[in-house]
Amino acid sequence: MSWHILHILTYFGDSMLLIPTAVIMAVLITWKNSDRRAVWYWALAFCAAGAIVSLSKIAFLGFGIGSARFNFTGFSGHSAMSATLWPVMLWLLSGRLRSAWRGVAVAIGYLIPLMVGASRLILNYHSKSEVITGLILGFTLSTAFLVSQRRSELKGFSTGQLCIALLLPLLLLGHGRLATTQQFLQRLSVQIAGIDHAWTRAELLKLRQ
């Protein structure tokens, strides 16, 4: 698999793409879903994923809380956030399809985060423990949301509505600009902990030598 394809796959978990997409989804859920509480469930699920990932990273970057044994420095944000978003996104867009095709669409929603997680491993951005726990976190939240919506009814999208809904995500994919979340969390962690520099993976792994 080429490096270009790997970077495209990993971008499906980047905050620069996922946060605006999550906001668009909130609007669509309000508009197309019969359950008026669904938008709050979605906001809770997505924000919970972001908060848990961020806290795990701050714990390590600022205070060295991690696991040398499992090479764990915090949940993989790309894995967790993509696993939270894409199953719900494909469920939302396939709301008026036949049940078989809707099942295929949701299955693709679960497959995309697995590919994102694999790309993070191949590109050596994360350890296996970070990707696996990130996926578990995200899939738990997205599945909980989908279970809460099993009795709701979704309105279909016209071709024009679908194009408008996907316009911003497609533009962001084409642009490929990366979020600076990790750098922000490093600076924040240093300030919170009152240290000179953020903890690194190399420093953590020294503890098991």
Side-chain angles (χ1 to χ4, degrees):
M1 188 177 294
S2 71
W3 288 101
H4 179 66
I5 294 175
L6 286 171
H7 281 286
I8 291 175
L9 287 176
T10 206
Y11 194 69
F12 275 84
D14 194 273
S15 296
M16 187 63 71
L17 171 65
L18 297 189
I19 292 176
T21 303
V23 173
I24 292 172
M25 287 172 59
V27 174
L28 296 178
I29 288 172
T30 303
W31 179 24
K32 294 291 187 176
N33 197 336
S34 62
D35 184 354
R36 297 305 175 188
R37 300 168 299 178
V39 65
W40 300 110
Y41 294 156
W42 168 240
L44 177 62
F46 191 77
C47 291
I52 293 170
V53 168
S54 298
L55 288 173
S56 73
K57 290 181 178 292
I58 291 172
F60 172 71
L61 293 169
F63 303 94
I65 300 174
S67 173
R69 178 182 179 184
F70 295 105
N71 193 12
F72 181 82
T73 64
F75 296 103
S76 165
H78 282 65
S79 302
M81 303 304 286
S82 63
T84 304
L85 184 138
W86 292 115
V88 178
M89 179 68 157
L90 272 292
W91 163 82
L92 178 62
L93 296 182
S94 64
R96 300 300 292 178
L97 296 180
R98 293 181 179 179
S99 58
W101 287 111
R102 192 178 189 190
V104 171
V106 174
I108 292 173
Y110 278 93
L111 177 62
I112 291 173
L114 294 176
M115 297 174 69
V116 171
S119 72
R120 301 301 285 176
L121 288 174
I122 297 172
L123 292 170
N124 202 32
Y125 287 132
H126 285 291
S127 67
K128 291 181 180 179
S129 65
E130 293 162 356
V131 168
I132 291 172
T133 54
L135 289 172
I136 291 173
L137 170 61
F139 283 144
T140 299
L141 291 168
S142 59
T143 302
F145 174 84
L146 292 177
V147 168
S148 76
Q149 297 304 298
R150 63 189 182 279
R151 292 188 178 87
S152 65
E153 295 182 5
L154 291 174
K155 300 176 184 177
F157 290 85
S158 68
T159 302
Q161 291 172 347
L162 190 60
C163 290
I164 293 172
L166 295 177
L167 179 61
L168 180 57
L170 289 173
L171 287 175
L172 290 170
L173 277 171
H175 191 277
R177 183 178 178 182
L178 301 176
T180 57
T181 310
Q182 184 69 18
Q183 293 86 339
F184 169 76
L185 288 175
Q186 286 178 342
R187 294 192 298 269
L188 179 62
S189 301
V190 167
Q191 292 178 354
I192 292 174
I195 55 179
D196 294 329
H197 68 276
W199 276 71
T200 65
R201 188 182 301 275
E203 291 172 329
L204 176 69
L205 296 180
K206 285 181 181 179
L207 298 177
R208 70 180 184 184
Q209 295 178 354

